[in-house]
Amino acid sequence: MIFAAGLGTRLKPLTDTLPKALVPVCGKPLIEHVARKITSAGIDDIVVNIHYFADKIEAWINEQEWITTDGKSKGKTRFAISDERTSLLETGGAILHARSHLEGCGSFLIHNVDILSDCDLQQFIASQRDEALATLLVSNRKTSRYFLFNPTDLRLVGWMNTATGEYLTISPETDPAECRALAFTGIHMMSDKVFALMEEYIKEKQLPGDTASGTRFPIKDFYLWAASRKPIYAVEAENLHLIDVGKLDALKPAEEFILSQENR
């Protein structure tokens, strides 16, 4: 699943007329760079959630010769749309809203549309443990918000914001100072057993919404709630080169990165 529904406000004025997913880097939209990386890892079925300039993303998908949509005879990569036109559901709600496309596959990959990296997706997918509810790709890089992990097995135990001093742990006995603080990449694997647990979370938190329109919640909050019930692990990517193409000043480094990858 590619998260492509965001408003892309930090990329204005480009996103005054385009969704973030279609912002070009080296002549190709971000969604194409991400989708081709996913397919190169052996994944041929991709779900895309859409909200902002949804019609333009659908039009782009329908124009691609390497994509099969609506029974048309094109490439082997199949795209499905998870429509959030009526309500932007955040990261957790987006996954639950796409349940009909994802449930039954065993596990699935989630990838933000604005993340470019040199991570080995095949290796990451292979690293997930059978008992894991989710597996987060993380790296040891400087940011303000970190997930906290048990240093022994990299099981998720909390979260902190170094800018505000806020932290959350799944147990009062957890000391953040004794945890591994690692930065999330926006790339994660999830078991399709997650959906029943998401329904339990919504019920316990009494979140508003319904089956048709969906329920809005961030995946971070769900993970921190779920981590005390099911194991959520991290895989740390060593020497990861990652570009978050969320701001205008990231476009030039993103182009340099893409060119460096093409010239390898």
Side-chain angles (χ1 to χ4, degrees), residues 112-146:
N112 287 359
V113 78
D114 55 2
I115 294 297
L116 302 176
S117 79
D118 61 0
C119 76
D120 185 331
L121 284 182
Q122 281 186 314
Q123 187 178 53
F124 171 60
I125 292 166
S127 69
Q128 63 180 324
R129 309 182 202 189
D130 291 341
E131 73 276 16
L133 180 72
T135 306
L136 316 184
L137 186 69
V138 298
S139 64
N140 186 11
R141 68 183 192 278
K142 186 173 178 58
T143 183
S144 59
R145 291 170 290 184
Y146 296 90

Side-chain angles (χ1 to χ4, degrees), residues 1 6 9 28 31 53 61 66 85 88 92-93 95 104 112-113 127 130 168 174 181 190 196 204 210 213 220 238 244:
M1 182 173 183
T9 53
K28 296 178 182 178
I31 191 171
F53 285 122
I61 289 172
W66 54 287
R85 282 179 174 89
L88 193 58
I95 294 166
N112 287 359
V113 78
S127 69
D130 291 341
L168 300 167
T174 300
M190 192 175 290
E204 181 176 311
D210 55 48
S213 62
K220 181 207 81 176
E238 301 286 348
D244 179 351

Side-chain angles (χ1 to χ4, degrees), residues 124 127-129 132 134-139 147-150 153-156 180 182-184 231-237:
F124 171 60
S127 69
Q128 63 180 324
R129 309 182 202 189
T135 306
L136 316 184
L137 186 69
V138 298
S139 64
F147 278 116
L148 302 175
F149 300 93
N150 183 310
D153 60 1
L154 290 186
R155 182 166 174 169
L156 180 66
R180 291 283 318 275
L182 295 165
F184 182 42
I232 297 172
Y233 296 108
V235 169
E236 184 178 359

Side-chain angles (χ1 to χ4, degrees), residues 203-263:
K203 185 176 180 180
E204 181 176 311
K205 299 296 183 180
Q206 299 182 324
L207 301 179
D210 55 48
T211 303
S213 62
T215 302
R216 181 184 176 99
F217 62 96
I219 197 63
K220 181 207 81 176
D221 293 355
F222 170 75
Y223 275 159
L224 293 172
W225 175 88
S228 63
R229 294 160 173 81
K230 298 287 183 180
I232 297 172
Y233 296 108
V235 169
E236 184 178 359
E238 301 286 348
N239 303 313
L240 180 70
H241 190 178
L242 180 145
I243 307 288
D244 179 351
V245 195
K247 296 180 180 179
L248 290 173
D249 60 7
L251 290 175
K252 184 177 179 181
E255 293 197 341
E256 292 171 351
F257 170 74
I258 291 296
L259 291 172
S260 72
Q261 294 295 295
E262 291 176 348
N263 293 329

Side-chain angles (χ1 to χ4, degrees), residues 143-146 159-168 220:
T143 183
S144 59
R145 291 170 290 184
Y146 296 90
W159 174 89
M160 71 176 181
N161 186 328
T162 57
T164 63
E166 178 188 8
Y167 70 90
L168 300 167
K220 181 207 81 176

